[in-house]
Amino acid sequence: MAASASVKKTALAEPALAEPAATSALPVTKAGTLSTALARHPALADLTGSLRVLTCGSVDDGKSTLIGRLLWDASDLFEDQRATVTRSGRLAGDGENPDFSLLVDGLAAEREQGITIDIAWRYFEWGSRRLVIIDSPGHEQYTRNMATGASHADVALLLVDARAGIKRQTRRHAAILDLAGVKRVILAVNKMDLVGWSEASYRAIADDFAELARRFGFTDAISIPVAAPSGDNVTRQSAKMPWYDGPTLLNQLMTLPPREGRTSGPFRLPVQLILRDGRDFRGLAGTISSGSVKVGDAIRDTISGERARVSRIVTMDRDLKQAVAGQAVTLTLDRDLDIARGAVLSEVSDPPRAAKELVVRLVWMAETPFDAKTGYLVRTATDLAPLSEIDILKRLDLETLVAAVSDTASVNDIVDVRLVPGRAVAVDRFSQAPGTGAVLIVDAVSGATVAGGVVLSASEAASIDDGTVFRLTRERLAAGVCKDLTDSERDTEEFARRAGEVAILLRSAGVPVRLDL
Ligand code: GDP
């Protein structure tokens, strides 16, 4: 692991660099550069070559301690930051090492409650690699933040307590990572000291995790046995666990390649604002969510299908010839398009859907369960549209990891849902273009966000009240795909599962379906 000799400081980091501390476990720490300062807009910053690491685990699994220890060992912390830890006199749960979580749990309220309240972005540079730590909350009620943070991550660091292993909450996190398209997952099996550094305990958890990774199709899935306060297998190979010959956590984070950039996707500009100067200037302003655009390119409005060419790409300080994902721009066109906030401009050959029906996978975030009588709205990248229908189709069972037909959703449930907006909305499938493929569900009366998730499929065909809806009835299923099933409890469950599968398959092929069981 070669570290560059350059020492960079971020704008937010003021004090002089501290001498590397005696406790530093890495031989070349001097070259690593750190800022634990919160990045102002890290999602928008130029993060080429950087790896965005989402941390998740249940409260008390040791997330803050692990990140604190990583910062302590692998980066040039400022003197006052190290002093926070040494002067406090607080010890970690192993009773020997300082409480490194103090480096991470900076917020007073957070310390009082003992939980991490919001996603905190921290980053540090090690040689040519910048690690951006997205610290997601462990508490169930904060799942919402995790769902939002997850979509920015290159890799997830999932934590478990070696004494407890893979829990329901771990499976939930895995399902949310899957939903948010985070496919690379590192499992840190923490608190190995509390199981006597036992290889057997670790292996059992690693096997469970391998199964979970297979189920969700995670790639580069690896488990690492660690002890956060003492730093075993965090930045240095543990002498206590000679049976483990895999990489340390830091090593793994340093060698993973960053995820492919958003600039390689299809061009998408969700319009936030129409700018006029009262005379002839009319600009369409927004942040490019995927791909790139050049002056002279033909673009298309998703809903109307109207086309135009880009005349100018205007930014705060100058005109550009080309702009890419992440940049906030104002486009002027060679002809006026009659569009408003909420429109999505795209390249002509590969447009989003003008969706009249969608199937989405959501994390239900509100304490109030889904209620068919409540009015809901759907929020896309920049649009907000009323929903004329919303049906829960399936709910993921966190014990079996099977999605079974269901019409309910309560807090933290992961559900597949059919939406019929009151008018067409411009969306992509999430796997195609994440920036325009995510949605929020909003309570129409309170304005509160009740669920968030991703678009699995979107159909341009209207399915309501026009006689073209395919009714998938019990009789039809019993005569065909479920012919072999009996009335046993097990078969009834299987019946429902197949019904859901058939409906999803038909819908993803663009056939509007109603389940009448
Ligand atoms: P978080 O809620 O996941 O951020 O957990 P913390 O980092 O605050 O850790 C919770 C408690 O577990 C603290 O008392 C830590 O000192 C302790 N702890 C964390 N990691 C370890 C470990 O590897 N071994 C032991 N013995 N205690 C640990």
Side-chain angles (χ1 to χ4, degrees):
M1 187 196 324
S4 86
S6 70
V7 173
K8 283 174 255 157
K9 275 201 260 179
T10 70
L12 296 177
E14 295 294 330
L17 283 172
E19 285 301 305
T23 50
S24 185
L26 282 169
V28 281
T29 330
K30 194 84 186 170
T33 314
L34 165 87
S35 170
T36 48
L38 297 183
R40 276 165 300 182
H41 293 293
L44 303 179
D46 173 21
L47 296 179
T48 323
S50 66
L51 193 76
R52 289 160 295 181
V53 186
L54 177 81
T55 61
C56 32
S58 307
V59 178
D60 276 351
D61 284 348
K63 200 152 44 78
S64 307
T65 308
L66 186 64
I67 301 305
R69 180 77 215 200
L70 199 60
L71 295 176
W72 183 272
D73 280 353
S75 55
D76 285 343
L77 281 169
F78 297 118
E79 201 53 70
D80 58 338
Q81 291 171 314
R82 286 192 194 272
T84 317
V85 174
T86 42
R87 275 202 214 109
S88 81
R90 270 172 47 170
L91 291 181
D94 65 358
E96 288 174 19
N97 288 282
D99 183 358
F100 295 110
S101 72
L102 288 168
L103 285 173
V104 178
D105 295 340
L107 302 167
E110 201 174 85
R111 256 184 249 164
E112 279 156 27
Q113 294 185 25
I115 50 172
T116 313
I117 285 181
D118 208 338
I119 292 178
W121 298 76
R122 295 171 174 80
Y123 58 86
F124 70 97
E125 285 166 17
W126 181 260
S128 57
R129 159 87 14 128
R130 181 195 282 181
L131 285 185
V132 182
I133 310 278
I134 314 167
D135 187 12
S136 96
H139 219 247
E140 289 217 4
Q141 74 192 89
Y142 299 116
T143 304
R144 167 185 181 161
N145 284 348
M146 175 166 160
T148 349
S151 60
H152 298 293
D154 295 306
V155 56
L157 174 59
L158 198 54
L159 242 83
V160 293
D161 183 323
R163 293 170 298 180
I166 308 270
K167 291 180 297 194
R168 199 181 158 80
Q169 175 75 329
T170 322
R171 288 191 287 270
R172 188 193 308 285
H173 282 147
I176 296 173
L177 293 174
D178 172 56
L179 172 153
V182 181
K183 287 289 173 198
R184 297 197 304 199
V185 185
I186 302 172
L187 182 79
V189 181
N190 192 29
K191 308 201 182 183
M192 284 301 294
D193 55 315
L194 298 182
V195 294
W197 313 102
S198 149
E199 177 174 7
S201 305
Y202 164 74
R203 293 269 170 242
I205 299 169
D207 286 350
D208 282 354
F209 177 62
E211 184 53 41
L212 197 64
R214 240 191 320 277
R215 161 68 179 75
F216 288 115
F218 294 152
T219 53
D220 298 299
I222 173 177
S223 359
I224 307 179
V226 299
S230 55
D232 283 85
N233 286 339
V234 179
T235 55
R236 60 176 174 77
Q237 216 71 40
S238 168
K240 306 262 179 35
M241 295 177 274
W243 43 263
Y244 175 75
D245 57 4
T248 62
L249 176 60
L250 184 65
N251 251 319
Q252 184 65 7
L253 292 176
M254 288 301 149
T255 46
L256 277 179
R259 194 158 65 166
E260 211 177 287
R262 289 176 297 168
T263 47
S264 57
F267 169 62
R268 301 289 185 260
L269 177 73
V271 175
Q272 261 152 359
L273 207 62
I274 312 291
L275 295 171
R276 289 187 186 82
D277 69 354
R279 284 178 306 205
D280 50 0
F281 183 87
R282 184 167 185 274
L284 309 170
T287 299
I288 300 175
S289 63
S290 146
S292 62
V293 66
K294 293 190 304 292
V295 171
D297 277 358
I299 54 104
R300 179 183 187 276
D301 167 48
T302 308
I303 303 295
S304 67
E306 281 190 72
R307 299 174 182 201
R309 281 193 185 275
V310 176
S311 314
R312 286 176 63 195
I313 304 174
V314 184
T315 68
M316 289 283 275
D317 26 71
R318 63 196 167 93
D319 274 27
L320 302 175
K321 287 206 171 65
Q322 180 172 13
V324 299
Q327 285 184 296
V329 293
T330 300
L331 301 187
T332 67
L333 305 176
D334 65 348
R335 54 181 290 257
D336 266 355
L337 297 184
D338 182 21
I339 58 176
R341 180 192 162 88
V344 175
L345 302 180
S346 76
E347 57 192 64
V348 171
S349 59
D350 183 9
R353 296 282 171 89
K356 292 189 178 142
E357 178 173 348
L358 302 89
V359 176
V360 297
R361 181 162 296 161
L362 301 175
V363 183
W364 194 265
M365 302 181 302
E367 295 293 333
T368 333
F370 168 73
D371 177 357
K373 293 191 292 298
T374 305
Y376 294 107
L377 311 171
V378 59
R379 187 184 289 286
T380 62
T382 55
D383 200 3
L384 184 65
L387 284 172
S388 45
E389 286 191 37
I390 171 168
D391 305 312
I392 311 285
L393 306 173
K394 287 181 173 186
R395 195 168 67 93
L396 185 69
D397 181 326
L398 286 170
E399 299 306 327
T400 60
L401 292 179
V402 171
V405 169
S406 165
D407 55 6
T408 63
S410 9
V411 66
N412 292 316
D413 278 347
I414 296 165
V415 284
D416 286 357
V417 182
R418 171 180 163 269
L419 306 176
V420 178
R423 58 179 165 76
V425 291
V427 291
D428 278 289
R429 275 181 292 119
F430 182 78
S431 55
Q432 172 90 357
T436 36
V439 296
L440 294 173
I441 305 297
V442 176
D443 183 314
V445 177
S446 68
T449 299
V450 294
V454 301
V455 176
L456 299 180
S457 65
S459 156
E460 301 203 335
S463 67
I464 39 166
D465 299 332
D466 60 1
T468 63
V469 182
F470 181 77
R471 279 178 65 235
L472 197 52
T473 58
R474 171 165 287 281
E475 294 68 35
R476 198 190 286 259
L477 288 160
V481 71
C482 297
K483 217 173 178 171
D484 56 319
L485 300 179
T486 64
D487 283 342
S488 73
E489 196 179 325
R490 201 164 163 187
D491 279 4
T492 309
E493 250 180 47
E494 177 59 14
F495 190 101
R497 193 191 67 79
R498 288 187 200 172
E501 269 325 313
V502 173
I504 299 264
L505 283 174
L506 285 169
R507 284 188 188 117
S508 57
V511 181
V513 180
R514 177 160 305 156
L515 265 180
D516 265 340
L517 296 182

